[in-house]
Amino acid sequence: MKKNIILAGVGGQGILSIATIIGYAVVKVDIYLKQAEAHGMSQRGGAVESHLRISDKEIHSDLVPHGRSDMIISLEPMESLRYFPYLKPDGWLITNITPFVNIPNYPEMKHLLKEIKAHKNSIAIDGDAIAKEIGSPRSMNMVILGASAPFLGIPFNMLEDSIRAVFGRKGEDIVQKNLDALNRGRDFAEEYIKK
Amino acid sequence: MDKLLLLGDEALAQGALDAGLSGAYGYPGTPSTEIFEYVQHSKEAARRNVHRTWSANEKTAMEEALGMSYTGKRALVTMKHVGLNVAADPFMNSGITGANGGLIVAVADDPSMHSSQNEQDSRHYGRFALVPVFEPSNQQEAYNMTFDAFALSEKYKTPVIMRLVTRLSHSRAGIVRTKYLNENEIKLPDNPNQFMLLPAFARVKYKNLIEKQELLEKESENSKYNEYHDGKDRSLGIITCGLGYNYVKENHVESKCEYPILKICQYPLPRKLIQKIIDECDEILVVEDGMPVIEEWLRGYLDNCLKIKGRMDGTLPRCGELDPAKLRTALGLEPYPIKEVPTIVKGRPPELCKGCPHRDTYYALNEAMKEYGPGHVFSDIGCYTLGFLPPFNAINSCVDMGASISMAVGAADAGLFPSIAVIGDSTFGHSGMTPLLDAVNSKANIVAFILDNGIVAMTGMQDSAVTGRVEDICMGIGVEKEHIHVINPLKGHHEENVKIIKNEINYNGVSVIIPRRPCIHIAAKLRKQK
C-alpha cells in the first residue's frame, strides 16, 4: 500500500486539518507517514500545499516526487490545477468548486471547470454549498476529505475515529457536524463513481 | 513507547527534553519556530520548569544558553539561519570558550527562501567557528541526534550545531522515543578561566580549539550517522548529506542503487571515508540540500580534482532546494511523465489579512506621502513587508531585522526627505532600539512607525518582548514625548492619522508614530479575556 497525496488550497482554508485527520488515522496503525507542510509567509492568503505520503514500507523523501502523486485533494478550484506536475496521468483530482477570489486576475469559473473535467479522473464537488446545507460552513474541508475517502485506502471508520479524536475537545456538536460533512462528501463521490 | 507524529522541529525538541534539557532559548523565525514552541507547550517542560520564554533576539538567546551551559546544565538555543548572523558574535566566541553543560545550537536553514531573505547554509558557520555540526536526514534522526549532540558537546566541551532545513523542520513523521535522561545538576567549569577570553587566555584557547579538530574528525569517522554503503557500479560514487540522502534513495525505490553512497550527517567531514569513495569511484556526485558546501571544500579553490559533479557544474541546480525530480535528472534516470500547469492558473501571492491593522496604517501613510512620490519608506521583516505588494506599494526595502530605522537614518543623513521607517513591535524589540538611539543621538530627521499589533504575527502568534512598553522605551531612548504618537489604525481615524503623519514629517527631528491595534488573529482572544 502506498499513496502520495497533494493537499492544496489557500492559506487559512484548512488543508492542515485534513492532514491532521489522515495523520492521526494512520499513526495508530503500523503504517509509515510523512507530511510536509507550509508555514510562515505563505500562510497569509497565498497558495498553500502539503505533501502527504502513506506507505507500508519506509518512506524516503518528505516531498512527493513530480509525476508520482496518486491524488490531489484541493479546497479551491484554481489551486487544484496548480499542482498538476505532481499528478500521475491516471491520478485522481478531487476539488471543491467554490472559488476563493482574492486576486484581480482570477480566471473565469467555466474555464477552470473545463480544465478540471478534462482530467480523466476528477471529482468536482461544491464543498462550500454542502457544508452550508448541514449548517457548518467551516466544515467544507471535511466534505472534500470525505469525497476523497474512496481513493485513500484508509478504512472510512478510521477517518471517523480521527475526527472524533481531533475535534473531541471542541464539543459533540462540532464532532457531529464534521462527521456529517465527511459522510456527505463520501456519498457524493460514491454516487459519482457509479455514474 | 507510543509513536508520536512530530514535525522535524518537534522531534528535535522532544529529543532535547528527553536528553535532560534545562533551558530552551530562542527567537521566532520560520522554519525554526516550532522547536521552541514544542518545549514551550510541553507539560513535561512545565513540570520540570525548563526555561522556555522567548528571548528578545538570537544574540541574547545564544548568550543566555551559553550562561546555562556555564553552570553545567544542558541548554538548547533555536533560530532560523539568518538569526545565526545576529547571534554570530557569541556563537563564534562560544567555539573558543567551549561549553560546560551540553549546548545545542539548533538552526533551521531555508533553501529556496520559502520565508526568508537568503538561503545561507549554517554548515559554513560550523566550519568558521570550528564547531561540529549534526544534520539529521529524518525526524527520528533529529530525535536521536540530540542525545548524541549533547553527549559530544559535553565530552569535548564544545557547542554543537544541529542543522535542519525547511522540508525536515516542517514535515511530520512518526517517531519513537527511546530513553529518558535526568537533568544535570549545577557544576561550574573545572577550569575557572574557561569562559575568560582576555587575549592571553583566548590565544591559548584558540590553539586548543584547533587541536581539538583532529579528535572531532575521528568522532565523525566513527559516527553511526556517517554511513558508507558499498555498491557494485563504481563509475559513480555519491556523497550526500541530510535530506539529499532521501532524494537519492527515493529514486532507487524500484531499482536498488548500485553506486557506492557516503551519507554524511556529522561534521567535521570524515576525511578517511571521503578519501575512500573518491579513490574507489570514477566520478563523484555531491548531493546537498543547501549551498554546495561539501562540494566546494572537495573541489578546493583550484578545482583540479576533475571528477566531482554537483551544483557547481550544473549537474544539479546551483541554488534552491533539492527535490526527487532534480535528483532524477542528475542521476540520468528517465523522468516521470508530467502534466503541465494549465496556463489559466494565476499566481496567488500572500497578502495582508482582511481587517489587518497594517492595511489602515499603509492607507494613511500612502496618503500622507502622496506629495513626495515613491522611494522614501524603509521597512523591515514581518507581515507588514507585504505592504510592498499591490494595492499598497508602500515600502521600498526589506533587508534584515531592524534595518528599517538604521537605513532611514543613513538616507536622512544623505539628505533624503522625508525619510520614513516602518517596523513591527517585535522587530523593534529585536533590533530596532539601538538604531533609534543612533537617530536620537544624531538628531536624524526621520519618522519611525512602530506597528504595534501586540504579537509576533508572521511566525504564528508568539509573544512580543515589548508589548505594553513601546512608548516608554522610545521615551527612555530619548525621543521627545510630544513627537511620540499612538494612533488607532482604523478607517474611522483615517483623516486624523494622516494629519498626525503629515505634521511629524514636517518636524525636523526624530518622530515615532505607533499605530496600535491587535493582530486580528489575537483580537478575538483578547476580547474574551476581558
Side-chain angles (χ1 to χ4, degrees):
Chain A
M1 183 268 193
K2 188 172 155 191
K3 291 281 175 206
N4 289 325
I5 303 163
I6 300 286
L7 302 172
V10 178
Q13 275 194 312
I15 68 166
L16 294 186
S17 301
I18 295 186
T20 306
I21 300 292
I22 297 177
Y24 192 90
V26 302
V27 84
K28 294 287 155 198
V29 290
D30 212 9
I31 293 180
Y32 292 95
L33 170 138
K34 281 201 174 186
Q35 182 236 322
E37 56 196 41
H39 294 205
M41 186 171 255
S42 54
Q43 282 179 300
R44 299 271 169 265
V48 288
E49 65 184 280
S50 171
H51 292 220
L52 184 59
R53 312 191 73 195
I54 308 166
S55 175
D56 50 13
K57 294 195 187 65
E58 190 188 351
I59 301 164
H60 299 292
S61 168
D62 295 81
L63 296 173
V64 172
H66 289 83
R68 303 305 289 162
S69 188
D70 298 288
M71 70 182 91
I72 291 172
I73 303 176
S74 178
L75 302 184
E76 209 281 339
M78 183 176 79
E79 295 308 319
S80 77
L81 303 171
R82 193 184 300 283
Y83 304 97
F84 260 180
Y86 288 102
L87 194 60
K88 286 178 183 171
D90 60 348
W92 278 91
L93 177 66
I94 296 125
T95 184
N96 184 21
I97 53 164
T98 299
F100 187 106
V101 182
N102 63 345
I103 49 170
N105 53 346
Y106 193 92
E108 275 185 56
M109 204 47 221
K110 62 177 182 202
H111 295 145
L112 288 174
L113 280 176
K114 201 174 142 208
E115 292 285 356
I116 291 165
K117 298 262 162 74
H119 181 74
K120 192 177 64 177
N121 294 330
S122 62
I123 291 187
I125 170 171
D126 195 341
D128 281 75
I130 293 175
K132 263 188 213 124
E133 262 174 52
I134 59 171
S136 179
R138 294 191 57 190
S139 303
M140 176 273 283
N141 54 350
M142 292 301 121
V143 177
I144 306 301
L145 174 61
S148 68
F151 318 102
L152 276 174
I154 300 171
F156 193 72
N157 64 331
M158 281 170 67
L159 294 176
E160 291 182 313
D161 289 346
S162 293
I163 286 184
R164 286 190 193 98
V166 172
F167 292 108
R169 63 189 168 84
K170 294 185 175 174
E172 187 47 35
D173 185 48
I174 302 261
V175 170
Q176 201 48 52
K177 292 248 160 74
N178 279 291
L179 288 173
D180 289 352
L182 189 78
N183 276 282
R184 288 289 299 271
R186 191 240 342 233
D187 295 349
F188 182 96
E190 284 182 344
E191 223 22 64
Y192 182 89
I193 307 166
K194 270 188 221 151
K195 283 180 201 161
Chain B
M1 279 192 217
D2 251 7
K3 214 164 36 163
L4 297 174
L5 190 55
L6 298 181
L7 296 174
D9 276 353
E10 297 170 339
L12 190 159
Q14 182 66 57
L17 283 169
D18 288 350
L21 181 74
S22 295
Y25 297 87
Y27 185 83
T30 312
S32 73
T33 312
E34 293 79 1
I35 308 172
F36 190 93
E37 284 188 324
Y38 188 83
V39 176
Q40 211 176 23
H41 299 142
S42 150
K43 284 184 188 139
E44 168 72 11
R47 187 184 64 74
R48 280 171 20 198
N49 199 21
V50 173
H51 174 88
R52 55 193 190 288
T53 310
W54 287 112
S55 301
N57 65 36
E58 294 85 354
K59 178 178 185 287
T60 62
M62 178 73 216
E63 290 156 352
E64 286 149 9
L66 191 62
M68 179 159 281
S69 166
Y70 171 90
T71 70
K73 294 197 173 191
R74 290 185 163 183
L76 169 70
V77 53
T78 74
M79 59 195 76
K80 67 185 293 176
H81 57 343
V82 286
L84 190 48
N85 300 333
V86 178
D89 196 3
F91 170 73
M92 290 300 296
N93 294 321
S94 74
I96 301 181
T97 63
N100 183 30
L103 176 57
I104 293 178
V105 185
V107 194
D109 292 357
D110 190 16
S112 277
M113 309 178 220
H114 296 281
S115 204
S116 303
Q117 316 94 284
N118 76 32
E119 60 174 23
Q120 66 183 63
D121 193 312
S122 299
R123 293 175 299 163
H124 277 304
Y125 267 111
R127 195 184 193 216
F128 193 16
L130 301 177
V131 161
V133 178
F134 282 82
E135 188 184 7
S137 66
N138 59 48
Q139 293 77 358
Q140 186 68 51
E141 240 174 31
Y143 174 86
N144 296 347
M145 272 181 180
T146 54
F147 289 90
D148 297 295
F150 273 133
L152 190 82
S153 172
E154 287 173 2
K155 182 174 175 189
Y156 292 97
K157 300 213 165 296
T158 175
V160 173
I161 290 182
M162 274 189 70
R163 179 205 186 224
L164 302 175
V165 292
T166 306
R167 296 303 184 177
L168 179 57
S169 282
H170 287 168
S171 173
R172 241 174 266 276
I175 70 129
V176 182
R177 292 168 68 184
T178 52
K179 53 185 167 181
Y180 186 88
L181 305 179
N182 288 325
E183 289 182 37
N184 293 347
E185 298 295 326
I186 287 188
K187 184 180 176 296
L188 298 190
D190 296 334
N191 172 2
N193 301 330
Q194 186 188 336
F195 288 80
M196 175 50 65
L197 293 187
L198 271 170
F201 291 91
R203 281 180 214 118
V204 176
K205 294 192 68 60
Y206 185 46
K207 267 191 192 150
N208 294 343
L209 175 63
I210 292 167
E211 284 160 13
K212 218 188 298 188
Q213 296 309 301
E214 204 183 316
L215 299 172
L216 291 171
E217 200 178 295
K218 214 165 260 169
E219 289 282 345
S220 292
E221 298 286 358
N222 300 320
S223 167
K224 61 182 176 219
Y225 301 116
N226 294 337
E227 303 165 41
Y228 192 95
H229 305 269
D230 210 354
K232 273 184 282 187
D233 184 351
R234 298 195 170 164
S235 62
L236 183 75
I238 301 172
I239 296 178
T240 181
C241 49
L243 291 195
Y245 176 73
N246 302 346
Y247 300 143
V248 173
K249 294 285 281 184
E250 184 68 36
N251 279 299
H252 293 99
V253 171
E254 285 129 38
S255 61
K256 198 171 167 284
C257 182
E258 300 291 345
Y259 305 125
I261 301 177
L262 174 58
K263 176 194 177 204
I264 298 176
C265 290
Q266 182 177 339
Y267 306 71
L269 289 178
R271 197 182 302 264
K272 283 184 193 151
L273 291 174
I274 289 177
Q275 192 66 55
K276 180 176 153 76
I277 197 165
I278 289 189
D279 288 347
E280 285 178 357
C281 300
D282 302 339
E283 280 192 313
I284 296 291
L285 173 66
V286 187
V287 181
E288 29 192 347
D289 200 18
M291 291 176 158
V293 175
I294 297 179
E295 187 182 344
E296 219 173 354
W297 294 340
L298 292 185
R299 284 177 186 268
Y301 192 66
L302 297 179
D303 197 6
N304 51 10
C305 171
L306 299 179
K307 56 195 242 179
I308 292 168
K309 304 196 293 182
R311 284 184 182 270
M312 295 173 75
D313 66 348
T315 305
L316 284 162
R318 180 63 180 80
C319 52
E321 67 179 357
L322 296 180
D323 64 34
K326 288 174 186 165
L327 250 291
R328 208 164 173 78
T329 309
L331 290 166
L333 298 167
E334 181 83 19
Y336 293 113
I338 282 181
K339 269 177 88 92
E340 298 288 328
V341 182
T343 48
I344 55 165
V345 174
K346 299 292 181 282
R348 192 190 306 256
E351 58 173 4
L352 289 171
C353 304
K354 303 275 175 289
C356 171
H358 302 332
R359 285 180 172 259
D360 295 290
T361 298
Y362 281 130
Y363 287 133
L365 175 61
N366 278 353
E367 187 169 332
M369 289 297 292
K370 223 185 271 167
E371 57 186 293
Y372 304 105
H376 294 263
V377 183
F378 302 90
S379 192
D380 230 295
I381 315 285
C383 287
Y384 48 90
T385 318
L386 297 172
F388 169 73
L389 302 173
F392 308 103
N393 308 306
I395 61 171
N396 309 104
S397 77
C398 156
V399 181
D400 67 275
M401 296 284 284
S404 56
I405 299 180
S406 358
M407 285 181 72
V409 168
D413 292 345
L416 182 75
F417 174 80
S419 187
I420 312 281
V422 175
I423 187 169
D425 56 320
S426 182
T427 308
F428 177 66
H430 178 289
S431 289
M433 297 188 285
T434 40
L436 190 62
L437 184 60
D438 287 348
V440 167
N441 287 343
S442 67
K443 297 190 170 51
N445 188 12
I446 66 163
V447 181
F449 284 76
I450 304 173
L451 312 187
D452 186 3
N453 61 358
I455 203 88
V456 191
M458 177 62 83
T459 47
M461 311 304 134
Q462 292 76 31
D463 295 328
S464 161
V466 297
T467 296
R469 282 177 287 178
V470 178
E471 50 273 55
D472 289 347
I473 291 170
C474 295
M475 269 188 278
I477 284 172
V479 182
E480 295 154 294
K481 197 175 173 186
E482 55 275 28
H483 294 289
I484 300 175
H485 301 271
V486 177
I487 64 172
N488 189 353
L490 269 178
K491 225 181 205 163
H493 296 261
H494 179 77
E495 299 307 325
E496 175 192 342
N497 292 344
V498 172
K499 203 173 142 202
I500 291 171
I501 297 168
K502 282 186 169 172
N503 282 344
E504 289 307 326
I505 286 173
N506 288 318
Y507 166 66
N508 188 352
V510 179
S511 310
V512 170
I513 294 174
I514 306 166
R516 175 171 293 145
R517 180 154 72 81
C519 169
I520 56 160
H521 295 285
I522 58 160
K525 217 161 97 189
L526 287 175
R527 272 197 298 272
K528 257 186 215 163
Q529 280 168 5
K530 276 178 196 163

